[in-house]
Amino acid sequence: MATNPNTTLYINNLNDKVNKEELKSQLFALFMTYGRVIDVVAQKGTKMRGQAFLVFSDLAEATSAMRACEGMLFYDKPLRIHYAKTKSHAALRREDPDFVPPNKAFPQSSSSHVNGTEKRSREDDDMVGGRTAKREKAEDDDEEMEMDEDDEGEGSKKAASATTAQDRPSARLLCTNLPQEVTDDVLGVLFQQYKGFASTQVAPNATGTKTGYAFFDSPELASVAKEALDGFTLKKGWKMGVSYT
DNA sequence: AGCACA
């Protein structure tokens, strides 16, 4: 047998020509149909290319997503999906808010004198003072080397993209340019005042500016909310974009 | 093929 059930799916055989951010958002857009996606992890480095981890909030969702999407063409390549071998940090953090990911720099010293007197102050390990002039040691792999934008290569081969805005009304609205701190609920408060509102989901993991979705019972009802909230200012310089998908 | 999360 393969791996045992996990709320995280391990996906491989991904087309490694698509840049990481697009890949993650497209995976999110695809898999959110099957449940609540709480994290998407993908890396570019040699060892991890062509693979991604998709964390669902519960096992039933992950399982149905796997069944439904196995073999599906995604950027011209069939998805290969399995349960991940281990639990994702996002999942662990979810079942225990006190969960702290093991630090690579200090790998669990086995000779740890674990006495109860150890102080567990929360403020202790804060990164105070920032890392100003300190250069991060260059990774030995090409992790930080994101030389994308080499698309445009062959003819306009529009792959399985889904996040492209449509001009036809749809029951699912795409919300762009969301500030970092916006969550499902914050976005929900905004949309729920309109008739036919169903739910919202904000993409996990985004740094800088986030993306989310708002679901309505019909495209017609969604269009009312879209007209009202497109260009809405969530925060000082942040005008949200709302479009059909 | 390859199972990570800073």
Side-chain angles (χ1 to χ4, degrees):
Chain A
M1 281 306 291
T3 33
N4 29 15
N6 193 318
T7 59
T8 299
L9 299 178
Y10 171 72
I11 306 174
N12 64 0
N13 196 44
L14 291 165
N15 188 331
D16 51 3
K17 302 185 67 175
V18 312
N19 46 294
K20 189 174 60 172
E21 288 313 315
E22 174 174 351
L23 183 76
K24 288 201 291 191
S25 42
Q26 292 302 136
L27 284 171
F28 173 71
L30 171 61
F31 281 94
M32 71 186 307
T33 314
Y34 306 95
R36 175 151 300 239
V37 177
I38 60 180
D39 203 5
V40 182
V41 177
Q43 299 187 171
K44 275 215 84 177
T46 41
K47 187 184 172 194
M48 285 298 128
R49 73 176 46 148
Q51 300 150 81
F53 297 86
L54 226 121
V55 190
F56 280 94
S57 71
D58 72 63
L59 184 57
E61 296 171 347
T63 303
S64 63
M66 181 170 66
R67 301 256 158 86
C69 297
E70 168 63 31
M72 172 183 295
L73 283 182
F74 188 76
Y75 291 103
D76 299 326
K77 300 190 68 183
L79 294 175
R80 288 288 110 88
I81 311 176
H82 302 271
Y83 292 118
K85 278 179 183 162
T86 62
K87 286 195 163 193
S88 294
H89 291 353
L92 292 169
R93 194 168 353 243
R94 198 164 181 277
E95 50 194 53
D96 172 20
D98 291 335
F99 167 77
V100 47
N103 195 344
K104 222 186 210 169
F106 307 103
Q108 286 293 14
S109 86
S110 48
S111 61
S112 60
H113 23 317
V114 187
N115 49 5
T117 54
E118 165 115 11
K119 202 125 86 92
R120 214 65 184 99
S121 168
R122 292 202 167 83
E123 268 72 26
D124 282 353
D125 42 340
D126 270 0
M127 41 168 93
V128 187
R131 49 191 73 182
T132 40
K134 185 172 185 186
R135 273 280 205 85
E136 286 287 343
K137 182 161 133 335
E139 298 288 332
D140 37 8
D141 50 2
D142 44 343
E143 194 65 58
E144 307 282 330
M145 291 280 296
E146 301 262 356
M147 21 201 307
D148 300 310
E149 315 318 322
D150 53 324
D151 318 25
E152 236 76 49
E154 52 262 39
S156 48
K157 250 190 148 169
K158 217 36 185 168
S161 72
T163 319
T164 316
Q166 242 66 59
D167 36 1
R168 300 288 185 189
S170 59
R172 183 177 80 165
L173 300 176
L174 172 68
C175 306
T176 55
N177 198 37
L178 308 175
Q180 187 65 59
E181 61 270 26
V182 169
T183 62
D184 296 4
D185 313 296
V186 172
L187 200 59
V189 168
L190 221 49
F191 280 91
Q192 74 191 352
Q193 55 188 325
Y194 299 95
K195 187 162 174 70
F197 170 78
S199 66
T200 49
Q201 188 172 356
V202 172
N205 231 4
T207 61
T209 174
K210 287 191 177 184
T211 289
Y213 293 91
F215 298 88
F216 281 79
D217 295 338
S218 76
E220 292 73 27
L221 294 167
S223 75
V224 178
K226 182 210 177 261
E227 291 315 315
L229 292 176
D230 189 19
F232 182 87
T233 299
L234 282 159
K235 188 187 173 182
K236 292 137 244 166
W238 296 75
K239 278 193 189 305
M240 171 175 66
V242 183
S243 49
Y244 301 118
T245 61

